[in-house]
Amino acid sequence: MQLLYFAWVREKVGAAGEEIALPEDVRTIGALMRHVASLSPRHAEAFANPSAIRAAVNQDFATAGDAVADRDEVAFFPPVTGG
């Protein structure tokens, strides 16, 4: 699975993205966020407040209950506001 990080999520994680092996028990965005938070202290800091992070799966907005699969590209970013 390809993970992409944007804005302050990227700054806290310390990388623009990474490739991970998706554990068998991780099948939703919410479970993926908990798994990513466990990868390192930097990831834990970035994902400490999951409600402050939005996600997209294969470039479509996703919610915590949406499914993820091994070959997906998942992006994590702060909420987007218009102006």
Side-chain angles (χ1 to χ4, degrees):
M1 169 176 281
Q2 183 68 37
L3 301 180
L4 303 173
Y5 306 116
F6 294 93
W8 61 258
V9 180
R10 174 181 22 195
E11 292 171 15
K12 288 185 178 189
V13 168
E18 61 191 315
E19 191 166 324
I20 66 165
L22 188 65
E24 286 188 27
D25 62 333
V26 174
R27 292 291 167 228
T28 65
I29 286 290
L32 178 60
M33 291 175 85
R34 289 188 295 277
H35 173 69
V36 171
S38 74
L39 295 178
S40 77
R42 292 187 79 151
H43 288 84
E45 181 183 351
F47 286 83
N49 182 7
S51 65
I53 299 176
R54 301 295 178 259
V57 177
N58 302 321
Q59 300 183 8
D60 289 323
F61 283 108
T63 63
D66 288 342
V68 292
D70 288 329
R71 296 182 187 259
D72 287 338
E73 174 189 82
V74 179
F76 292 110
F77 48 92
V80 178
T81 60

